[in-house]
Short mmCIF file of all heavy atoms in Angstrom, two decimals:
data_model
loop_
_atom_site.label_atom_id
_atom_site.label_comp_id
_atom_site.label_asym_id
_atom_site.label_seq_id
_atom_site.Cartn_x
_atom_site.Cartn_y
_atom_site.Cartn_z
N LEU A 29 -1.78 -45.38 -66.43
CA LEU A 29 -2.62 -46.40 -65.66
C LEU A 29 -1.75 -47.50 -65.07
O LEU A 29 -1.98 -47.96 -63.97
CB LEU A 29 -3.56 -47.08 -66.77
CG LEU A 29 -4.40 -48.29 -66.40
CD1 LEU A 29 -5.29 -47.97 -65.14
CD2 LEU A 29 -5.29 -48.82 -67.65
N ALA A 30 -0.79 -47.98 -65.76
CA ALA A 30 0.26 -49.04 -65.25
C ALA A 30 0.86 -48.45 -63.87
O ALA A 30 1.02 -49.26 -62.97
CB ALA A 30 1.29 -49.27 -66.34
N ASP A 31 1.28 -47.17 -63.96
CA ASP A 31 1.84 -46.60 -62.80
C ASP A 31 0.95 -46.70 -61.50
O ASP A 31 1.31 -46.88 -60.44
CB ASP A 31 2.45 -45.14 -63.09
CG ASP A 31 3.61 -45.11 -63.98
OD1 ASP A 31 4.30 -46.13 -64.19
OD2 ASP A 31 3.75 -44.09 -64.68
N ASP A 32 -0.34 -46.26 -61.85
CA ASP A 32 -1.30 -46.14 -60.64
C ASP A 32 -1.60 -47.55 -60.14
O ASP A 32 -1.78 -47.77 -59.04
CB ASP A 32 -2.56 -45.46 -61.10
CG ASP A 32 -2.89 -44.14 -60.28
OD1 ASP A 32 -1.95 -43.91 -59.54
OD2 ASP A 32 -3.74 -43.54 -60.48
N LEU A 33 -1.67 -48.52 -61.00
CA LEU A 33 -1.83 -49.91 -60.67
C LEU A 33 -0.69 -50.42 -59.90
O LEU A 33 -0.98 -51.18 -58.78
CB LEU A 33 -2.17 -50.84 -61.79
CG LEU A 33 -3.45 -50.64 -62.50
CD1 LEU A 33 -3.51 -51.43 -63.91
CD2 LEU A 33 -4.58 -51.20 -61.56
N GLY A 34 0.49 -49.97 -60.29
CA GLY A 34 1.70 -50.38 -59.37
C GLY A 34 1.65 -49.64 -58.04
O GLY A 34 2.07 -50.33 -56.98
N ARG A 35 1.11 -48.44 -58.01
CA ARG A 35 1.10 -47.84 -56.61
C ARG A 35 0.06 -48.54 -55.78
O ARG A 35 0.39 -48.88 -54.57
CB ARG A 35 0.66 -46.41 -56.88
CG ARG A 35 1.69 -45.35 -57.44
CD ARG A 35 1.17 -44.00 -57.51
NE ARG A 35 2.25 -43.13 -58.28
CZ ARG A 35 1.99 -42.94 -59.53
NH1 ARG A 35 0.93 -43.30 -60.23
NH2 ARG A 35 2.89 -42.21 -60.19
N PHE A 36 -0.99 -49.02 -56.36
CA PHE A 36 -1.99 -49.81 -55.65
C PHE A 36 -1.33 -51.02 -54.99
O PHE A 36 -1.60 -51.53 -53.85
CB PHE A 36 -3.16 -50.11 -56.45
CG PHE A 36 -4.06 -50.97 -55.86
CD1 PHE A 36 -5.11 -50.60 -54.76
CD2 PHE A 36 -4.26 -52.46 -56.22
CE1 PHE A 36 -5.96 -51.51 -54.26
CE2 PHE A 36 -5.01 -53.23 -55.57
CZ PHE A 36 -6.04 -52.80 -54.55
N LEU A 37 -0.56 -51.77 -55.91
CA LEU A 37 -0.05 -53.02 -55.49
C LEU A 37 1.08 -52.82 -54.42
O LEU A 37 1.22 -53.74 -53.52
CB LEU A 37 0.65 -53.75 -56.74
CG LEU A 37 -0.30 -54.28 -57.81
CD1 LEU A 37 0.45 -54.60 -59.05
CD2 LEU A 37 -1.02 -55.53 -57.18
N ASP A 38 1.69 -51.71 -54.59
CA ASP A 38 2.69 -51.38 -53.57
C ASP A 38 2.19 -50.81 -52.21
O ASP A 38 2.83 -50.50 -51.25
CB ASP A 38 3.85 -50.49 -54.06
CG ASP A 38 4.53 -51.12 -55.20
OD1 ASP A 38 4.59 -52.38 -55.28
OD2 ASP A 38 5.19 -50.33 -56.06
N GLY A 39 0.99 -50.57 -52.04
CA GLY A 39 0.41 -49.97 -50.96
C GLY A 39 0.54 -48.44 -50.85
O GLY A 39 0.44 -47.95 -49.78
N ARG A 40 0.81 -47.82 -52.04
CA ARG A 40 1.13 -46.39 -52.01
C ARG A 40 -0.08 -45.63 -52.43
O ARG A 40 -1.00 -46.13 -53.10
CB ARG A 40 2.31 -46.09 -52.88
CG ARG A 40 3.65 -46.74 -52.38
CD ARG A 40 4.80 -46.31 -53.30
NE ARG A 40 4.76 -46.93 -54.52
CZ ARG A 40 4.96 -46.44 -55.72
NH1 ARG A 40 5.14 -45.00 -55.81
NH2 ARG A 40 4.88 -47.06 -56.88
N PRO A 41 -0.24 -44.38 -52.04
CA PRO A 41 -1.37 -43.57 -52.53
C PRO A 41 -1.45 -43.46 -54.14
O PRO A 41 -0.34 -43.23 -54.80
CB PRO A 41 -1.07 -42.14 -51.95
CG PRO A 41 -0.17 -42.40 -50.85
CD PRO A 41 0.68 -43.62 -51.27
N ILE A 42 -2.50 -43.66 -54.69
CA ILE A 42 -2.69 -43.57 -56.11
C ILE A 42 -2.91 -42.00 -56.53
O ILE A 42 -3.26 -41.17 -55.53
CB ILE A 42 -3.90 -44.34 -56.59
CG1 ILE A 42 -5.18 -43.77 -55.98
CG2 ILE A 42 -3.62 -45.95 -56.30
CD1 ILE A 42 -6.39 -44.53 -56.49
N LEU A 43 -2.66 -41.88 -57.76
CA LEU A 43 -2.90 -40.42 -58.25
C LEU A 43 -4.13 -40.04 -58.62
O LEU A 43 -4.60 -38.90 -58.61
CB LEU A 43 -1.84 -40.08 -59.41
CG LEU A 43 -0.35 -40.22 -58.97
CD1 LEU A 43 0.55 -39.81 -60.21
CD2 LEU A 43 0.07 -39.39 -57.98
N ALA A 44 -4.98 -41.10 -59.10
CA ALA A 44 -6.26 -40.83 -59.53
C ALA A 44 -7.12 -40.49 -58.25
O ALA A 44 -6.88 -40.85 -57.18
CB ALA A 44 -6.97 -42.13 -60.07
N ARG A 45 -8.17 -39.62 -58.57
CA ARG A 45 -9.04 -39.09 -57.41
C ARG A 45 -10.43 -39.47 -57.81
O ARG A 45 -10.85 -39.41 -58.96
CB ARG A 45 -8.80 -37.64 -57.21
CG ARG A 45 -7.46 -37.38 -56.66
CD ARG A 45 -7.36 -37.79 -55.12
NE ARG A 45 -5.95 -37.50 -54.62
CZ ARG A 45 -5.13 -38.50 -54.63
NH1 ARG A 45 -5.25 -39.65 -55.08
NH2 ARG A 45 -3.84 -38.06 -54.11
N ARG A 46 -11.12 -39.67 -56.85
CA ARG A 46 -12.49 -40.05 -56.97
C ARG A 46 -13.37 -38.78 -57.59
O ARG A 46 -12.91 -37.64 -57.26
CB ARG A 46 -13.25 -40.41 -55.73
CG ARG A 46 -12.84 -41.75 -55.01
CD ARG A 46 -13.81 -42.25 -54.11
NE ARG A 46 -15.12 -42.48 -54.69
CZ ARG A 46 -16.34 -42.70 -53.99
NH1 ARG A 46 -16.34 -42.44 -52.79
NH2 ARG A 46 -17.28 -43.12 -54.65
N MET A 47 -14.23 -39.12 -58.55
CA MET A 47 -15.02 -38.05 -59.16
C MET A 47 -15.85 -37.32 -58.08
O MET A 47 -16.45 -37.92 -57.25
CB MET A 47 -15.92 -38.78 -60.13
CG MET A 47 -16.57 -37.56 -61.10
SD MET A 47 -17.58 -38.47 -62.36
CE MET A 47 -16.37 -39.54 -63.13
N PRO A 48 -15.84 -36.02 -58.07
CA PRO A 48 -16.61 -35.26 -57.06
C PRO A 48 -18.15 -35.43 -57.24
O PRO A 48 -18.62 -35.86 -58.22
CB PRO A 48 -16.36 -33.77 -57.42
CG PRO A 48 -15.82 -33.78 -58.81
CD PRO A 48 -15.10 -34.99 -59.12
N TRP A 49 -18.76 -35.30 -56.21
CA TRP A 49 -20.24 -35.66 -56.16
C TRP A 49 -21.12 -34.96 -57.12
O TRP A 49 -21.93 -35.46 -57.75
CB TRP A 49 -20.85 -35.30 -54.80
CG TRP A 49 -20.98 -33.90 -54.39
CD1 TRP A 49 -20.00 -33.16 -53.82
CD2 TRP A 49 -21.94 -32.89 -54.83
NE1 TRP A 49 -20.38 -31.90 -53.66
CE2 TRP A 49 -21.70 -31.67 -54.33
CE3 TRP A 49 -23.17 -33.16 -55.41
CZ2 TRP A 49 -22.42 -30.63 -54.50
CZ3 TRP A 49 -23.96 -31.98 -55.63
CH2 TRP A 49 -23.59 -30.78 -55.00
N TRP A 50 -20.68 -33.67 -57.44
CA TRP A 50 -21.47 -32.96 -58.51
C TRP A 50 -21.28 -33.54 -59.75
O TRP A 50 -22.11 -33.46 -60.71
CB TRP A 50 -21.04 -31.36 -58.41
CG TRP A 50 -19.62 -31.10 -58.54
CD1 TRP A 50 -18.82 -31.05 -57.44
CD2 TRP A 50 -18.95 -30.90 -59.71
NE1 TRP A 50 -17.48 -30.71 -58.01
CE2 TRP A 50 -17.52 -30.69 -59.31
CE3 TRP A 50 -19.22 -31.04 -61.18
CZ2 TRP A 50 -16.51 -30.64 -60.34
CZ3 TRP A 50 -18.27 -30.83 -61.96
CH2 TRP A 50 -16.89 -30.59 -61.60
N GLU A 51 -20.01 -33.96 -60.16
CA GLU A 51 -19.74 -34.59 -61.42
C GLU A 51 -20.53 -35.95 -61.63
O GLU A 51 -21.15 -36.23 -62.64
CB GLU A 51 -18.29 -34.74 -61.68
CG GLU A 51 -17.89 -35.45 -62.98
CD GLU A 51 -18.53 -34.71 -64.18
OE1 GLU A 51 -18.60 -33.51 -64.21
OE2 GLU A 51 -18.67 -35.37 -65.17
N ARG A 52 -20.48 -36.65 -60.55
CA ARG A 52 -21.25 -37.99 -60.57
C ARG A 52 -22.70 -37.77 -60.80
O ARG A 52 -23.43 -38.55 -61.39
CB ARG A 52 -21.03 -38.69 -59.23
CG ARG A 52 -19.60 -39.30 -59.08
CD ARG A 52 -19.47 -40.36 -58.02
NE ARG A 52 -19.98 -39.99 -56.75
CZ ARG A 52 -19.19 -39.38 -55.80
NH1 ARG A 52 -17.93 -39.16 -56.05
NH2 ARG A 52 -19.80 -39.10 -54.62
N SER A 53 -23.19 -36.66 -60.10
CA SER A 53 -24.67 -36.38 -60.28
C SER A 53 -25.00 -35.92 -61.64
O SER A 53 -25.98 -36.27 -62.21
CB SER A 53 -25.10 -35.21 -59.37
OG SER A 53 -24.80 -35.67 -58.01
#
């Protein structure tokens, strides 16, 4: 989690991916 927040702060692509639509449904 700390690493992904660091990527966001640095403007780099994060590793987390949005949940697919079928999983959200």
